[in-house]
Amino acid sequence: MTRPCADGWLEQRLRRRGRPVGWPQLLQWLLHDPEQGYYGAGHVRFGTDGDFVTSPTLGTAFAGLLARQLLPLFDGLAAEDAGPLALIEWGPGEGDLAVQLRGALEQLDPPWLERLTLVLQEASPALRRRQHQRLKAAGWPLVTAAAAAPRRGVVLANELFDALPVERFQLADDGWRQLQVDLDAEGGLQEVPGPPLSASLLRQLAALGLPADGGGRRVGWTSEWCPALAPCLRRMRRGLDRGWLLAIDYALTADRLYAPWRDGGTLVAVQGQRAGADLLRDPGRQDLTAHVCLDAMALAAGRSGWHWHGSALQGEALLGLGLAGELSALSGAEAGSLAKRLQRREELLRLVDPHLLGGFHWMLMQTEPAEALAGESIRIWPGWSA
Ligand SMILES: C[S@@+](CC[C@H](N)C(=O)[O-])C[C@H]1O[C@@H](n2cnc3c(N)ncnc32)[C@H](O)[C@@H]1O
């Protein structure tokens, strides 16, 4: 992978550095740098007119259905102890989901609005400002420091983990090596082989089905893994004494992520609703995102103090929470104009389409082992598997 010299901010930064940079640091710059990063500097454009859609940026249907799962979780916690509870959203983007959940709670169970503290954990200073404005306009007081919040509740992370920096690595003649990015002789960007993977990473990859000798993969076979996964899960866990974590993302099991035919990994660049393979184009102006490894998530959860409850496809989860009923309600006269009904129908279908958002995974973890569940906290939906 090479890019001709453009002498932009990334080239200048690499020149100042004077040595190649690994992908975790590079992605930290490209995505989260407060002056240049796609999220950090607020270049991200959410929604159908922007770079990509997420479930909440499509409309309000997702939040309405999700609230039906969140309420039983909060009811279960409230039944154990009448103390305060928090809804802690990590990576809330522009705050759409939080605003929409407020609307859904208002409809489903208004007393919960008074009882819940909303906490937003956002890495981007630019997005934090937008969230504040949105939440203020919606009239939902918000706490931004998790330390100040109640320590029982539900952590929610929609499309957070796919935005964490990953390490790209490649099979060389002498085993697995990191990939790095450096300047070439003309001052352009190029991907170059870096140092061998550490023994501890090799052990983790072997546990995910990727053996140290490459397992018959060709020299040059490339993939990625996420070193930020476990630290992020640990931070989430430290913010909560008792409760749940629901992470929603596109994910693959390790046998599919590291299947010999998936050469190149899943890291893609996204801009203007299109995914592309040119990761170094337009630095800081395109999203860079990788699939979550389900098995790595379950293993890291266990090591971070979470009890893995299981995962379900989003389409199945939403059907279990009443999406089909929402579709049939569109035939009623009270559903509004034809244009409004068609738009809502489109939104609902995209949420369940297995090739679109319906193929996402809901990954549920809790602070206590499964036996300690209070009452009917989990709505068991088809496909939910430990
Ligand atoms: C793909 S966007 C998803 C936004 C929103 N949840 C949605 O579904 O529309 C990823 C979000 O996670 C944030 N983010 C990434 N890494 C983070 C971290 N380590 N801590 C907190 N927020 C983070 C980004 O700034 C951005 O708001």
Side-chain angles (χ1 to χ4, degrees), residues 32 39 46 54 56 90-93 121-124 127 158-160 164:
H32 304 300
Y39 291 109
F46 292 101
T54 61
W90 276 65
Q121 277 286 349
E122 172 56 62
S124 157
L127 291 180
N158 189 59
E159 294 208 40
L160 165 89
L164 297 182

Side-chain angles (χ1 to χ4, degrees), residues 40-206:
H43 297 148
V44 53
R45 298 177 305 142
F46 292 101
T48 44
D49 298 332
D51 290 328
F52 59 89
V53 292
T54 61
S55 301
T57 58
L58 263 186
T60 57
F62 175 71
L65 293 162
L66 175 62
R68 296 181 196 171
Q69 174 58 88
L70 295 179
L71 281 174
L73 299 181
F74 282 117
D75 283 336
L77 289 165
E80 292 174 350
D81 180 324
L85 292 169
L87 172 61
I88 306 165
E89 193 190 351
W90 276 65
E94 292 181 334
D96 296 275
L97 184 55
V99 169
Q100 294 163 10
L101 281 172
R102 182 183 166 85
L105 292 180
E106 229 158 21
Q107 274 192 349
L108 291 172
D109 201 342
W112 271 112
L113 284 180
E114 303 303 320
R115 295 181 64 185
L116 283 183
T117 302
L118 174 68
V119 182
L120 298 187
Q121 277 286 349
E122 172 56 62
S124 157
L127 291 180
R128 278 202 295 270
R129 284 192 289 277
R130 290 183 213 166
Q131 291 153 18
H132 278 240
Q133 284 163 3
R134 297 287 283 279
L135 269 293
K136 208 168 145 200
W140 202 354
L142 127 99
V143 174
T144 41
R151 298 187 52 91
R152 297 186 324 124
V154 179
V155 178
L156 192 57
N158 189 59
E159 294 208 40
L160 165 89
F161 287 96
D162 66 62
L164 297 182
V166 293
E167 174 95 83
R168 269 166 66 78
F169 56 82
Q170 192 168 67
L171 191 61
D173 288 327
D174 57 353
W176 295 106
R177 286 185 169 265
Q178 289 176 20
L179 283 171
Q180 298 184 320
V181 169
D182 199 3
L183 294 173
D184 62 20
E186 280 80 48
L189 299 168
Q190 63 173 348
E191 205 176 28
V192 293
L197 297 189
S198 68
S200 117
L201 176 50
L202 288 176
R203 272 196 303 279
Q204 293 185 59
L205 291 176

